[in-house]
Amino acid sequence: MIAERSRPLAIRLAIGLAAASSLAGCGLGAGRAPTAIQLTVTRDFGTAPLRSWRAPHARGEETVMSLLMRNASVSTRYGGGFVESIDGVSGGQQGGRPVDWFYYVNGIEASKGAASTKLHAGDHIWWDRHDWSQTDHVPAVVGSFPEPFLNGVGGKRLPVRVECALVGGYACRAVTERLHAAGVPAALAAAGTGAAPQTLRVVVGPWSAAAGDPTAGAIKRGPSASGVYARFSPNGRTLIVLDQSGRPARTLGAGAGLIAATAIAESAPVWVVTGTDSSGVERAARSFSGAVLADRFAVAVAPSGRALAAPQVTP
């Protein structure tokens, strides 16, 4: 059974949309179906793929819910406003911890129920069932790269800005070039110069510099504040990768990197490409690609160059 009483955010969304979503299995009506959409279903913070559609069946003006129901077997609650199971995989309890289904559009956590979220061309929809004992709010994830940079939010492409501690350094160039290669025009600026709330920013630099960013700095306060299951030591020289319970799972020293995303309130997400030192930042920049980031909430990069999922999911 879903932990209803301890899920205030999900329950508010579901109940508030129950009346509007009585036809959740249907789209918003006649019209042209959105093109180039993708649908992904995973478990355990993306570490266990379940199904993926590069070209899911779509008809008319689809919602996130109607697209899911058109392509998978789904059971719902609250009049169709809350997903309970997908292809027989249900929320509830796992190992004594609460687990439920959450969804992301272009790597950004939903701000409203799936039955009221309209699909737009190019949208990447990702459903993941995971442990929310540490937080039921993960505002942004990296696993839909090159989203949200390519297609933006709500069908609107946002300005993209790469802010670097060392403009012209390898990491700064590598990140900017990867974005350009994905078809994303990105402005370049020195870190700390600031930007409008609806600008997608990528902060590139060692954690000693990135931690001062008002949004990225939330990572210091743990998953409940940022949705990122990794943290740096106070001096920034050690990266600690957490498990789904918020406990340390891996400790990485010199040369370790991190790619993560977070957001504050209604502002656009801020991504960080950071590390314990300049070598760690460069390793993170080398991993700034769809092949490495796919279906990951965040990625830590060991000094060996090996990419590690964050959180590290343990039994």
Side-chain angles (χ1 to χ4, degrees), residues 44-45 47 227 229-230 241-245 297-298 308-313:
D44 299 330
F45 300 93
T47 61
Y229 285 75
V241 186
L242 308 177
D243 68 10
Q244 72 271 31
S245 298
F297 275 48
L308 306 170
Q312 291 274 285
V313 176

Side-chain angles (χ1 to χ4, degrees), residues 268-281:
V270 172
W271 284 43
V272 290
V273 178
T274 187
T276 55
D277 48 32
S278 59
S279 295
V281 179

Side-chain angles (χ1 to χ4, degrees), residues 227-253:
V228 178
Y229 285 75
R231 57 181 172 82
F232 288 85
S233 61
N235 64 11
R237 297 175 184 171
T238 301
L239 173 62
I240 302 158
V241 186
L242 308 177
D243 68 10
Q244 72 271 31
S245 298
R247 295 187 296 258
R250 297 285 298 270
T251 299
L252 307 173

Side-chain angles (χ1 to χ4, degrees), residues 33-201:
T35 58
I37 55 176
Q38 297 181 54
L39 175 61
T40 300
V41 180
T42 62
R43 293 173 52 182
D44 299 330
F45 300 93
T47 61
L50 297 181
R51 296 184 71 182
S52 181
W53 298 259
R54 296 289 295 181
H57 298 296
R59 184 185 303 166
E61 295 184 8
E62 295 276 21
T63 65
V64 169
M65 181 71 84
S66 67
L67 180 74
L68 180 66
M69 297 182 79
R70 203 178 301 285
N71 289 273
S73 176
V74 181
S75 66
T76 63
R77 302 186 71 178
Y78 302 107
F82 182 76
V83 169
E84 179 163 7
S85 72
I86 300 176
D87 288 344
V89 180
S90 300
Q93 295 282 319
Q94 179 175 296
R97 297 188 294 266
V99 294
D100 274 315
W101 287 102
F102 298 79
Y103 79 92
Y104 305 85
V105 180
N106 295 339
I108 301 173
E109 185 182 59
S111 62
K112 55 186 177 180
S116 291
T117 301
K118 180 181 177 180
L119 286 183
H120 299 85
D123 278 351
H124 183 163
I125 310 303
W126 179 10
W127 288 87
D128 183 75
R129 194 205 72 160
H130 61 254
D131 178 340
W132 53 271
S133 60
Q134 293 303 297
T135 181
D136 69 349
H137 179 47
V138 177
V141 295
V142 302
S144 295
F145 184 84
E147 305 300 348
F149 305 106
L150 188 58
N151 287 294
V153 182
K156 180 182 178 181
R157 204 175 202 182
L158 299 181
V160 178
R161 179 164 164 161
V162 180
E163 300 181 1
C164 302
L166 180 60
V167 176
Y170 169 81
C172 190
R173 294 197 311 272
V175 168
T176 305
E177 289 169 3
R178 290 283 173 83
L179 288 168
H180 289 169
V184 178
L188 187 61
T193 51
Q198 292 308 307
T199 295
L200 289 164
R201 298 189 295 122

Side-chain angles (χ1 to χ4, degrees), residues 142-146 178 287-296:
V142 302
S144 295
F145 184 84
R178 290 283 173 83
S287 296
F288 189 75
S289 70
V292 175
L293 301 178
D295 298 345
R296 293 291 179 256

Side-chain angles (χ1 to χ4, degrees), residues 3-13 132 136:
E4 301 167 10
R5 294 176 183 171
S6 55
R7 279 292 309 278
L9 176 59
I11 298 307
R12 275 201 309 274
L13 292 175
W132 53 271
D136 69 349

